[in-house]
Amino acid sequence: MGSTARRRENALRARLTEICEQVSGAINRGVQYVVLSDRDSNAQWAPIPSLLLVSAVHHHLLRSANRTKTALVVEAGDVRETHHVAVLIGYGASAVNPYLAMESVEQLITAGDVVGVTPQDGVYNLIKGLGKGVLKIMSKMGISTVASYTGAQTFEALGLGQELVDEFFAGTHSQLGGVGLDVIAAEVSARHQMAYPEGGIELPHRPLLGGGEYQWRRDGEPHLFNPETVFRLQHATRERRYDIFKAYTKGVDDQSENLMTLRGLLKFKNDRPAVPLEEVEPVSSVVKRFSTGAMSYGSISKEAHETLAIAMNQLGGKSNTGEGGEDVDRLLDPKRRSAVKQIASGRFGVTSLYLTNADDIQIKMAQGAKPGEGGQLMAQKVYPWVARTRHSTPGVGLISPPPHHDIYSIEDLAQLIYDAKRANPSARVHVKLVSEVGIGTVASGVTKAKADVVLVSGHDGGTGASR
């Protein structure tokens, strides 16, 4: 670590310590509400990340046995979305004031970029949206009051070093390790220098960077799926060009090595003896273990849903219906049927005929794209033919709540597994769980409940029907 980086880290740690001592002094004077604000940041003083600050103060007060004597209010400019508010509350904030987000809404409306709403209504909508989002996150954990959620730390850290976690986020799981306070200090300094460039020379073409955290931007964060990779994939499939497809896969693999995925951190050992080619399993055998993700009919089109099933049946693999059922004419067609039938707590298109025409029955206990949440098909997509398959009403939205609304105990899940096996004794029964801390305990219970397969669902994917 260079002298500049060490100086930045020491300055950030010293300021955090100073603020913690100031809060302790205020509590000793009888102060019951403490506001942690970055409004006074300027060209000389860079704002401390709000989550780091509130968690540092929160744990300082816990260690000094003073936490219950005061409430922490966060007033921060780096709070823009629901997750930001949720983690601040989860690490000790009793109230959050996203002042910069509210001022940004007012400016957008005043400048005419957003029309049909007053600045006051725009700010109200922002606050309402953030509040509803936090309530939704709480409900996924079965928490019904903000008081129970405050300081609960129902999060897992990704990319934070254990030393940093132990010092400022004690009790949080960080499975992979990662950066320390020095990197955070360097990022704070870089953002501050961008906001207050030397000489006062601003960006030449735009006042702010384009972002690109969620959607690809030319000058934003890199994404595995960008215009180049998407073009190669589409061009390869339309023109049936295997060479272009290999260029597509190589591009994605090369990008993953640029620390864009966790898999990119892993490398194969090259000091092992080569395996004789005759001992390598042929492709025709490998593809029989392939299976598609569970994408329901309605969230994707009839053509896409059937094409996936036909392809997997020809390969000898298995396609998954998702929780939207399957047309009767496809159920009885070996070429077009999906081998895996998902039942998702027994809703949406589940019939005896549906279950008996399955090689595997999958009980959906977790949403793959957004673990802990249910699925939603908006009313505009519930066409008559989709409603017929799902045994619902056309034009009426379909919501699949988080599974804990239906299955409260391992005994209830065991009963559902038993019922599925009675409906189709020859089918394997899957239980779809989410990859998170503590899954081993749940998986052992699922196994004891006599499930044939435990499916560990990842963190990505989704068709847009997850909510």
Side-chain angles (χ1 to χ4, degrees), residues 130-417:
L130 292 174
K132 291 183 69 174
V134 171
L135 289 175
K136 177 179 165 185
I137 294 173
M138 288 167 47
S139 70
K140 291 192 296 181
M141 304 304 298
I143 299 174
S144 57
T145 66
V146 176
S148 298
Y149 195 67
T150 303
Q153 297 188 188
T154 55
F155 297 92
E156 181 177 347
L158 182 62
L160 297 183
Q162 194 60 50
E163 183 178 346
L164 176 71
V165 170
D166 292 341
E167 185 175 2
F168 300 108
F169 303 95
T172 301
H173 290 280
S174 183
Q175 302 279 44
L176 302 174
V179 304
L181 193 63
D182 57 326
V183 175
I184 294 179
E187 291 182 348
V188 169
S189 177
R191 288 194 296 269
H192 189 251
Q193 290 177 6
M194 192 177 300
Y196 299 97
E198 294 184 8
I201 302 176
E202 297 182 353
L203 294 173
H205 303 297
R206 61 182 68 175
L208 294 173
L209 292 178
E213 184 175 353
Y214 299 111
Q215 184 175 355
W216 181 87
R217 293 284 187 272
R218 189 178 303 276
D219 59 350
E221 292 285 337
H223 288 255
L224 278 177
F225 288 95
N226 53 58
E228 182 179 358
T229 56
V230 171
F231 169 76
R232 285 177 175 173
L233 177 60
Q234 292 176 339
H235 188 47
T237 53
R238 287 169 181 166
E239 301 297 327
R240 298 181 179 275
R241 293 278 301 277
Y242 186 67
D243 57 329
I244 298 177
F245 180 76
K246 293 299 292 183
Y248 155 75
T249 56
K250 183 179 185 302
V252 173
D253 289 342
D254 291 345
Q255 290 179 77
S256 69
E257 293 182 0
N258 296 327
L259 304 185
M260 295 170 66
T261 64
L262 294 178
R263 186 180 301 170
L265 297 172
L266 304 176
K267 293 186 181 299
F268 286 106
K269 291 183 177 180
N270 55 11
D271 56 350
R272 297 181 298 178
V275 177
L277 191 59
E278 58 271 13
E279 295 182 14
V280 178
E281 189 175 5
V283 173
S284 58
S285 176
V286 172
V287 296
K288 292 181 180 179
R289 295 196 295 273
F290 283 12
S291 62
T292 66
M295 296 177 285
S296 62
Y297 174 48
S299 67
I300 60 175
S301 67
K302 177 177 183 292
E303 293 79 6
H305 207 267
E306 286 195 18
T307 299
L308 288 169
I310 292 170
M312 298 311 295
N313 289 335
Q314 291 180 352
L315 290 173
K318 295 181 179 181
S319 64
N320 192 317
T321 61
E323 60 174 295
E326 193 172 58
D327 275 338
V328 174
D329 62 333
R330 283 183 57 196
L331 277 174
L332 305 178
D333 186 349
K335 295 182 179 179
R336 296 188 297 152
R337 66 185 280 269
S338 291
V340 183
K341 303 290 197 294
Q342 196 177 79
I343 60 176
S345 303
R347 55 168 53 86
F348 298 153
V350 178
T351 64
S352 295
L353 184 64
Y354 176 80
L355 295 175
T356 53
N357 284 276
D359 297 338
D360 294 52
I361 297 174
Q362 185 177 100
I363 300 171
K364 178 182 177 181
M365 284 288 292
Q367 186 85 1
K370 297 178 182 177
E373 303 190 16
Q376 176 175 0
L377 195 66
M378 63 183 71
Q380 298 93 316
K381 297 183 72 173
V382 185
Y383 301 108
W385 50 92
V386 173
R388 182 179 64 250
T389 301
R390 290 180 174 239
H391 298 277
S392 59
T393 305
V396 177
L398 300 173
I399 299 177
S400 176
H404 65 243
H405 289 190
D406 305 297
I407 300 174
Y408 292 94
S409 66
I410 193 65
E411 289 81 9
D412 295 329
L413 179 59
Q415 181 65 50
L416 186 55
I417 293 172

Side-chain angles (χ1 to χ4, degrees), residues 114-126:
V114 177
V115 297
V117 64
T118 66
Q120 293 79 10
D121 289 339
V123 172
Y124 171 81
N125 292 339
L126 171 67

